[in-house]
């Protein structure tokens, strides 16, 4: 079955860089892309961006452009998200999620499978 | 960017009752690229409905979605105890990719 296993909780200093991983298994890795989504305390879901596991193409939320980089490693079937210049507002639970993919002849970006989430706390 | 507005913010109902949740878009959602998710504390969100009305794998048929254009609805026909959670709608546009979520509706036990 499809599984996405994320790296563990992090406590980060303001100004630091964060890297999270998302290990995928149970399906053909390069067939789908990944979104990263975060949820700050008491807030809703925020889409951060997307990376193709097929060719590495990316799309990033405009609010994070320049601070975020998303990559995949096909040899280890792992997706990565790096977020730089952390501030306290980056404190959140971060999720990776795999696309639903092809439905009715179109590739779709619904989020079908999710990792368990990683709590990131940014504090001095 | 398409803004999704969900209503009500909180819905208080009893098990066995019918729940109707609304998601309104600031502009038309192309090809009904609209999904609904259930989110419980401490768990990952779960995809319920995609394409406005198609149930995802293993989702019970008490969950149904409808709508098009700018107005979408998630209906839970008879609430089970495990259905009390937060529900989000989500849409995407694909060139360039932009995904947005509604702010959520909290479905609580009355």
């Amino acid at each position: 079955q499809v599984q996405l296993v994320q790296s563990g909780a992090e406590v980060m200093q303001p100004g630091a860089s964060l890297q999270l991983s998302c290990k995928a298994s149970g399906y053909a890795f390069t067939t789908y892309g990944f979104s990263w989504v975060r949820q700050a305390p008491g807030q809703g879901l925020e889409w951060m961006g997307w990376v193709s596991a097929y060719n590495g193409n990316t799309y990033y939320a405009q609010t994070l452009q320049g601070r975020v980089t998303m990559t995949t490693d096909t040899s280890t079937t792992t997706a990565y998200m790096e977020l730089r210049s952390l501030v306290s507002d980056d404190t959140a639970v971060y999720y990776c999620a795999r696309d639903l993919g092809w439905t009715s002849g179109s590739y779709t970006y619904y989020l079908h499978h999710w990792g368990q989430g990683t709590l990131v706390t940014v504090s001095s | 960017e398409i803004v999704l507005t969900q209503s009500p913010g909180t819905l208080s109902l009893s098990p066995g009752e019918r729940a109707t949740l609304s998601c309104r878009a600031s502009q038309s959602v192309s090809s009904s690229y609209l999904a609904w998710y259930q989110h419980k504390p401490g768990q990952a969100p779960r995809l319920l409905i995609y394409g406005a009305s198609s149930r995802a794998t293993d989702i019970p048929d008490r969950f149904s979605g409808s709508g098009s254009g700018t107005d979408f609805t998630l209906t839970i026909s008879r609430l089970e105890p495990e259905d009390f959670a937060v529900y989000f709608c989500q849409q995407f546009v694909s060139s360039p990719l932009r995904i947005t979520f509604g702010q959520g509706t909290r479905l609580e036990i009355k």
Side-chain angles (χ1 to χ4, degrees):
Chain A
Q1 75 281 20
V2 176
Q3 279 196 307
L4 302 180
V5 178
Q6 297 184 227
S7 47
E10 302 271 10
V11 178
M12 308 295 295
Q13 296 273 343
S17 295
L18 170 73
Q19 184 179 69
L20 301 181
S21 65
C22 172
K23 167 71 175 175
S25 61
Y27 70 96
F29 182 73
T30 58
T31 304
Y32 301 89
F34 294 88
S35 280
W36 288 85
V37 175
R38 67 182 180 178
Q39 185 175 36
Q43 303 298 310
L45 299 174
E46 178 189 10
W47 178 72
M48 301 178 67
W50 176 89
V51 58
S52 167
Y54 174 70
N55 60 12
N57 284 353
T58 54
Y59 294 103
Y60 300 132
Q62 290 179 312
T63 55
L64 295 172
Q65 198 86 314
R67 254 197 336 131
V68 67
T69 302
M70 296 176 186
T71 58
T72 61
D73 183 338
T74 57
S75 66
T76 60
T77 66
T78 302
Y80 296 93
M81 189 280 295
E82 180 186 35
L83 186 62
R84 299 176 290 279
S85 303
L86 292 170
V87 297
S88 58
D89 285 350
D90 293 319
T91 294
V93 176
Y94 288 74
Y95 295 98
C96 62
R98 198 208 78 179
D99 297 337
L100 177 63
W102 293 95
T103 63
S104 303
S106 298
Y107 190 88
T108 60
Y109 300 89
Y110 306 114
L111 308 180
H112 192 198
H113 296 281
W114 294 68
Q116 81 277 19
T118 297
L119 176 62
V120 175
T121 303
V122 181
S123 174
S124 54
Chain B
E1 177 178 287
I2 296 178
V3 176
L4 299 178
T5 302
Q6 293 186 239
S7 60
T10 301
L11 186 57
S12 299
L13 294 169
S14 300
E17 290 193 294
R18 179 184 188 91
T20 303
L21 287 68
S22 173
C23 177
R24 178 162 290 177
S26 60
Q27 55 188 283
S28 184
V29 176
S30 174
S31 303
S32 293
Y33 285 146
L34 191 287
W36 291 93
Y37 298 84
Q38 178 191 69
H39 195 191
K40 296 181 179 179
Q43 297 184 20
R46 179 170 72 146
L47 176 65
L48 300 174
I49 301 288
Y50 65 92
S53 60
S54 297
R55 266 187 303 276
T57 308
D58 297 330
I59 300 303
D61 61 7
R62 64 180 181 274
F63 292 92
S64 63
S66 62
S68 63
T70 60
D71 289 295
F72 298 88
T73 301
L74 173 70
T75 301
I76 310 172
S77 58
R78 286 181 57 86
L79 286 165
E80 299 286 343
E82 62 268 27
D83 297 338
F84 292 91
V86 178
Y87 291 83
F88 292 96
C89 54
Q90 173 238 331
Q91 67 81 39
F92 69 86
V93 293
S94 55
S95 296
L97 179 62
R98 293 288 181 262
I99 290 176
T100 57
F101 293 93
Q103 83 280 15
T105 289
R106 180 177 304 278
L107 178 57
E108 63 177 27
I109 299 177
K110 189 174 182 179

